[in-house]
């Protein structure tokens, strides 16, 4: 019996070793071979990912994708954007339909531990909120006892909603609708008393309404929703590129380096700037890309502050905790060294 158990254990360990030895998919090589990054984004989220009149995608999440394309391919425009719904976004990434997902997606333990995915960066620190019609007279979420609330199924939003009402001993009736456009239409038509989602998504929706003053964002933020870029686990070289593309934009903003003035920093005596711009060190090559990878990002996409001003400021959302760490915010980049 002992010998049988030992033999079984050895065979099991051998199988495990072979499984672990299998190489992860080389996303970087695949992107180079096709000459294009494939990035999953939201279907229609003003400020984050939305096509303009010419069909060109614009937004904070779009810029995150473009930064990765600039770092890898040297051209921020070499991206194919794939609009993904809440229901299919993770499957699209897991199956390889997209290389990268930047789609107002909350970083959580369950998603990393159970879905085989890894969050590489946070480009927006958000929190779940509530929107009501101004005519309702509601000024606080605590006044929503007994209300009907529109919410998408299978999201952290749905779970947070139930948790918050339970903890405050309030009642509500969920109106479950899968498609975001349908849920927004239901709210506008009065099918539900309130609409809950990430505060950024609510602000984006409100900004797209001609009668935006008819809708009110309530002051309560009931959750932590760090939103960012997601990749498949195992391909850690690609993970590094995605993560450090974001950090490069943060670092550039720290030093006041923009797409317009970057040339004036090329001969800066500051060692941190020299490493960021690839003038010293081989940090790009360590990730399998050119040493001037950050220069390409800054020239073509800008620093983090520039992308915020371009995409989020028009929504009326204050920078707040999304500012730099030395300005009271949470955006903090480890050193490039």
């Amino acid at each position: 019996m002992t010998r049988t158990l030992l033999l079984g254990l050895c065979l099991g360990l051998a199988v495990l070793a072979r499984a672990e030895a299998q190489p992860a998919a080389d996303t970087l090589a695949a992107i180079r071979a096709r000459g294009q990054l494939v990035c999953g984004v939201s279907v229609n989220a003003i400020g984050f990912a939305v096509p303009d009149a010419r069909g060109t995608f614009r937004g904070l999440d779009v810029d995150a994708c473009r930064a990765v394309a600039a770092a890898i391919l040297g051209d921020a425009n070499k991206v194919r954007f794939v609009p993904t719904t809440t229901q299919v976004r993770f499957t699209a990434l897991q199956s390889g339909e997209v290389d990268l997902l930047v789609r107002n997606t909350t970083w959580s333990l369950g998603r990393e531990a159970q879905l085989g995915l890894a969050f590489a960066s946070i480009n927006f620190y958000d929190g779940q909120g509530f929107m009501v019609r101004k005519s309702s007279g509601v000024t606080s979420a605590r006044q929503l006892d007994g209300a009907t609330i529109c919410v998408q199924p299978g999201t952290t939003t749905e779970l947070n909603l139930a948790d918050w009402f339970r903890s405050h001993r309030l009642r509500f009736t969920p109106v479950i609708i899968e498609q975001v456009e349908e849920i927004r239409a239901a709210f506008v038509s009065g099918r539900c008393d309130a609409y809950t989602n990430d505060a950024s998504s609510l602000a984006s929706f409100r900004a797209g309404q001609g009668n935006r003053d008819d809708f009110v964002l309530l002051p309560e933020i009931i959750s932590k929703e760090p939103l960012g870029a997601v990749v498949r686990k195992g391909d850690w070289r690609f993970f590094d590129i995605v993560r450090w593309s974001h950090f490069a934009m943060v670092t550039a903003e720290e030093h006041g380096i923009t797409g317009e003035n970057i040339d004036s920093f090329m001969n800066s005596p500051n060692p941190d700037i020299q490493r960021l711009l690839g003038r010293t060190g081989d940090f790009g090559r360590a990730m399998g890309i050119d040493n001037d990878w950050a220069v390409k990002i800054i020239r073509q996409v800008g620093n983090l502050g520039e992308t915020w001003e371009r995409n989020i400021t028009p929504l009326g959302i204050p920078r707040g905790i999304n500012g730099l760490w030395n300005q009271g915010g949470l955006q903090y980049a480890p050193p490039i060294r």
Side-chain angles (χ1 to χ4, degrees):
M1 178 65 71
T2 302
R3 292 178 62 186
T4 301
L5 288 173
L6 287 173
L7 179 60
L9 178 61
C10 290
L11 288 173
L13 290 173
V15 171
L16 179 61
R18 283 197 299 272
E20 291 181 343
Q22 294 297 315
D26 191 341
T27 308
L28 179 60
I31 292 168
R32 283 179 169 149
R34 80 169 79 95
Q36 188 180 56
L37 171 74
V38 182
C39 198
V41 295
S42 295
V43 174
N44 185 17
I46 297 174
F48 293 87
V50 64
D52 62 18
R54 296 183 177 181
T56 302
F57 272 87
R58 309 286 183 190
L60 189 75
D61 291 345
V62 169
D63 281 348
C65 299
R66 294 178 66 242
V68 175
I72 294 174
L73 300 171
D75 188 341
N77 293 317
K78 290 185 176 180
V79 187
R80 179 165 64 87
F81 294 100
V82 177
T84 60
T85 65
T86 300
Q87 290 72 35
V88 306
R89 55 183 166 172
F90 296 127
T91 304
L93 181 57
Q94 291 165 328
S95 67
E97 180 184 347
V98 300
D99 303 311
L100 172 66
L101 182 69
V102 193
R103 190 206 173 279
N104 300 91
T105 298
T106 300
W107 186 349
S108 70
L109 170 61
R111 288 171 173 175
E112 280 206 328
Q114 299 170 355
L115 300 181
L117 306 176
F119 283 75
S121 63
I122 299 173
N123 70 339
F124 196 99
Y125 289 90
D126 207 352
Q128 185 173 331
F130 297 91
M131 178 179 286
V132 297
R133 288 176 294 280
K134 187 177 182 179
S135 59
S136 70
V138 172
T139 58
S140 167
R142 293 176 182 272
Q143 296 174 271
L144 293 175
D145 190 22
T148 54
I149 301 179
C150 282
V151 64
Q152 281 186 291
T155 60
T156 56
T157 308
E158 184 182 20
L159 300 176
N160 294 335
L161 175 64
D163 287 347
W164 191 84
F165 270 79
R166 187 183 304 114
S167 66
H168 288 81
R169 298 182 179 180
L170 301 175
R171 298 169 295 108
F172 78 100
T173 300
V175 178
I176 306 296
I177 303 174
E178 288 194 2
Q179 300 301 322
V180 65
E181 294 303 328
E182 292 179 15
I183 201 170
R184 290 172 172 177
F187 169 64
V188 171
S189 69
R191 184 176 166 188
C192 47
D193 301 312
Y195 170 30
T196 186
N197 207 330
D198 292 347
S200 62
S201 179
L202 295 177
S204 173
F205 161 65
R206 182 174 179 268
Q209 303 301 303
N211 55 339
R212 66 179 66 184
D213 291 337
D214 290 347
F215 304 100
V216 176
L217 277 167
L218 299 182
E220 288 86 359
I221 298 296
I222 68 171
S223 70
K224 294 184 293 184
E225 306 292 335
L227 311 178
V230 197
V231 300
R232 292 178 290 274
K233 277 186 177 176
D235 192 347
W236 299 115
R237 181 167 64 169
F238 183 60
F239 172 91
D240 286 343
I241 294 170
V242 175
R243 165 171 281 184
W244 285 94
S245 292
H246 173 74
F247 286 152
M249 297 170 75
V250 175
T251 304
E253 184 182 4
E254 263 190 63
H255 291 293
I257 305 172
T258 70
E260 291 186 357
N261 69 17
I262 187 170
D263 287 333
S264 66
F265 285 88
M266 286 300 176
N267 295 315
S268 169
N270 186 323
D272 290 337
I273 294 176
Q274 286 291 296
R275 289 189 290 267
L276 170 68
L277 302 183
R279 309 288 280 184
T280 60
D282 272 337
F283 300 106
R285 288 178 185 160
M287 296 188 291
I289 54 180
D290 294 336
N291 283 334
D292 65 346
W293 58 281
V295 172
K296 295 170 183 174
I297 293 173
I298 300 165
R299 280 194 199 283
Q300 299 178 49
V301 184
N303 65 38
L304 188 63
E306 289 180 280
T307 66
W308 182 279
E309 289 297 318
R310 185 162 60 236
N311 301 300
I312 306 302
T313 296
L315 300 181
I317 300 176
R319 186 95 186 257
I321 60 173
N322 283 289
L324 296 180
W325 65 278
N326 55 8
Q327 297 174 9
L330 297 176
Q331 288 293 353
Y332 181 104
I336 297 176
R337 64 178 316 134

